[in-house]
């Protein structure tokens, strides 16, 4: 009958198969019919080529990872303390009111690695240049405090460090008479950071009155609490004359980090930028330039003299001929 399309199937039965023709697609290798619901489906989870797959690697638990995380944190803290920033605790009132006893400051240790030297007005931490801390009480930290101090997570109690303000640098002449003001290279300093009620200088014969030229490679430091600071003024009878070697400087205090109510930066006061305060240093290049120019002038004068003498001999010879 020509009314029935060959191969059409309704799913509910149909004409009988004709000899030599199959209405069903050929089965693929393995006996799976691609036209069936299972054609192209992957193996069941955990099986591959008919065999169970190896167990997937499970992530380590948090408690197993914790020691590794702590180790990395300690190493980073040690690197930061050694090369970048370190916390220091203020042990006394010698820098009031800029710094209070118990404050924690962060000190920049990076810039000295690149040859930067302390500048006038900066607050710096430095190692004891010799016997400045004699008689001072020594803290007795517990084991945990020692470990945290060693890696830089707490101020170290073992380091013999001081913190003061740089008033003058190598080559400067710093002086103070009477109650002040302090003068650097003849320029009077306006010091609003000096503790209220203090005078810039102390009237005493133990170091409060002074006039010193700071040796090259050293700095002159003073506390902001002038009448409560054993600084460069009171160590003039020791080696170095009270000046601190630049090599002893640990770094510059940049910010008060603790307590939060005391948070503040520690910028350089404007008084140290006044014109003429660098007069001593600016004169040095001029002097060097003058010293270098003298031989050139003398050499030029000699050449002119020799040339004039030769010209005179030539002129005299022509006349005689």
């Amino acid at each position: 009958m020509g009314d029935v399309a060959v191969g059409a199937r309704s799913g509910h039965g149909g004409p009988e198969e004709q000899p030599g023709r199959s209405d069903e697609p050929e089965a693929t290798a393995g006996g799976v019919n691609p036209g069936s619901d299972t054609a192209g489906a992957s193996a069941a989870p955990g099986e591959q080529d008919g065999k169970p797959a190896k167990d997937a690697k499970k992530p380590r638990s948090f408690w197993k990872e914790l020691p590794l995380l702590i180790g990395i944190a300690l190493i980073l803290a040690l690197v930061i303390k050694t090369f970048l920033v370190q916390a220091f605790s203020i042990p006394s009132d010698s820098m009031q009111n800029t710094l209070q006893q118990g404050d924690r400051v962060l000190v920049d240790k990076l810039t000295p690695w690149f040859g930067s030297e302390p500048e006038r007005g900066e607050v710096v931490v430095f190692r004891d240049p010799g016997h400045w801390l004699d008689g001072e009480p020594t803290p007795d930290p517990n084991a945990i405090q020692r470990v945290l101090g060693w890696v830089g997570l707490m101020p170290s109690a073992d380091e013999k460090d001081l913190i003061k303000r740089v008033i003058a640098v190598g080559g400067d002449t710093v002086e103070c008479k009477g109650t002040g003001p302090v003068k650097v290279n003849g320029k009077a300093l306006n010091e609003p950071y000096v503790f209220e009620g203090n005078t810039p200088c102390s009237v005493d014969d133990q170091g409060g009155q002074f006039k010193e030229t700071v040796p090259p490679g050293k700095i002159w430091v003073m506390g902001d609490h002038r009448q409560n600071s054993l600084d460069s003024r009171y160590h003039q009878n020791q080696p170095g004359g009270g000046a601190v070697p630049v090599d002893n400087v640990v770094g510059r205090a940049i910010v008060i980090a603790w307590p939060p109510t005391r948070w503040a930066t520690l910028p350089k006061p404007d008084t140290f930028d006044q014109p003429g305060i660098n007069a001593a240093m600016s004169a040095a290049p001029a002097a060097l330039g003058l010293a270098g120019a003298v031989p050139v002038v003398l050499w030029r004068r000699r050449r002119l003299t020799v040339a004039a003498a030769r010209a005179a001999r030539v002129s005299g010879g022509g006349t005689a001929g």
Side-chain angles (χ1 to χ4, degrees), residues 5-149:
V6 176
R9 297 178 61 86
S10 66
H12 301 285
E16 297 180 359
E17 297 179 0
Q18 298 181 7
R21 178 184 296 272
S22 173
D23 292 333
E24 295 293 335
E26 294 182 1
T28 59
V32 179
N33 188 341
S36 67
D37 293 340
T38 59
S42 60
E47 296 183 0
Q48 186 175 4
D49 295 333
K51 297 179 180 180
K54 292 182 178 179
D55 291 337
K57 192 172 183 180
K58 296 181 179 179
R60 298 174 67 180
S61 69
F62 171 76
W63 297 110
K64 290 182 178 179
E65 294 282 357
L66 185 59
L68 178 61
L69 295 175
I70 293 176
I72 293 174
L74 292 177
I75 292 173
L76 289 176
L78 184 59
V79 170
I80 290 172
K81 169 197 170 184
T82 304
F83 300 104
L84 301 178
V85 176
Q86 184 175 356
F88 285 85
S89 177
I90 306 304
S92 71
D93 297 328
S94 68
M95 282 295 293
Q96 284 183 318
N97 268 337
T98 304
L99 300 174
Q100 302 288 348
Q101 186 173 354
D103 284 353
R104 301 288 194 271
V105 297
L106 298 182
V107 173
D108 167 25
K109 300 178 69 174
L110 177 63
T111 50
W113 285 90
F114 295 94
S116 175
E117 294 191 355
E119 297 182 3
R120 304 180 194 89
E122 293 180 342
V123 177
V124 297
V125 171
F126 57 95
R127 293 185 296 275
D128 186 352
H131 307 294
W132 284 34
L133 292 175
D134 287 357
E136 293 292 329
T138 302
D140 186 21
N142 58 40
I144 296 177
Q145 290 173 329
R146 286 184 178 277
V147 172
L148 294 178

Side-chain angles (χ1 to χ4, degrees), residues 13-287:
E16 297 180 359
E17 297 179 0
Q18 298 181 7
R21 178 184 296 272
S22 173
D23 292 333
E24 295 293 335
E26 294 182 1
T28 59
V32 179
N33 188 341
S36 67
D37 293 340
T38 59
S42 60
E47 296 183 0
Q48 186 175 4
D49 295 333
K51 297 179 180 180
K54 292 182 178 179
D55 291 337
K57 192 172 183 180
K58 296 181 179 179
R60 298 174 67 180
S61 69
F62 171 76
W63 297 110
K64 290 182 178 179
E65 294 282 357
L66 185 59
L68 178 61
L69 295 175
I70 293 176
I72 293 174
L74 292 177
I75 292 173
L76 289 176
L78 184 59
V79 170
I80 290 172
K81 169 197 170 184
T82 304
F83 300 104
L84 301 178
V85 176
Q86 184 175 356
F88 285 85
S89 177
I90 306 304
S92 71
D93 297 328
S94 68
M95 282 295 293
Q96 284 183 318
N97 268 337
T98 304
L99 300 174
Q100 302 288 348
Q101 186 173 354
D103 284 353
R104 301 288 194 271
V105 297
L106 298 182
V107 173
D108 167 25
K109 300 178 69 174
L110 177 63
T111 50
W113 285 90
F114 295 94
S116 175
E117 294 191 355
E119 297 182 3
R120 304 180 194 89
E122 293 180 342
V123 177
V124 297
V125 171
F126 57 95
R127 293 185 296 275
D128 186 352
H131 307 294
W132 284 34
L133 292 175
D134 287 357
E136 293 292 329
T138 302
D140 186 21
N142 58 40
I144 296 177
Q145 290 173 329
R146 286 184 178 277
V147 172
L148 294 178
W150 181 72
V151 298
L153 297 179
M154 282 188 64
S156 175
D158 294 331
E159 297 178 1
K160 301 297 184 180
D161 300 314
L162 301 99
I163 185 166
K164 306 289 181 186
R165 190 180 298 275
V166 179
I167 301 298
V169 297
D172 288 345
T173 297
V174 57
E175 60 182 308
C176 208
K177 302 298 181 184
T179 57
V182 176
K183 294 182 179 180
V184 177
N185 298 326
K187 295 293 181 178
L189 300 180
N190 175 27
E191 300 183 283
Y193 46 79
V194 169
F195 184 69
E196 185 177 358
N198 278 194
T199 55
C201 303
S202 300
V203 182
D204 60 58
D205 57 358
Q206 299 173 350
Q209 306 291 289
F210 59 90
K211 183 175 183 179
E212 295 290 333
T213 298
V214 184
K218 296 189 176 183
I219 56 176
W220 184 271
V221 297
M222 297 172 68
D224 291 353
H225 197 164
R226 292 292 160 83
Q227 273 75 63
N228 189 24
S229 177
L230 295 177
D231 44 43
S232 289
R233 299 170 292 169
Y234 298 100
H235 295 279
Q236 297 182 61
N237 59 339
Q238 295 179 357
V244 177
V246 170
D247 291 342
N248 281 43
V249 175
V250 176
R252 176 174 65 94
I254 54 177
V255 66
I256 303 172
W258 190 266
T261 55
R262 292 270 303 146
W263 191 94
T265 57
L266 297 170
K268 185 175 74 171
D270 294 339
T271 189
F272 293 94
D273 294 327
Q274 61 178 300
I277 199 169
N278 293 320
M281 297 187 69
S282 62

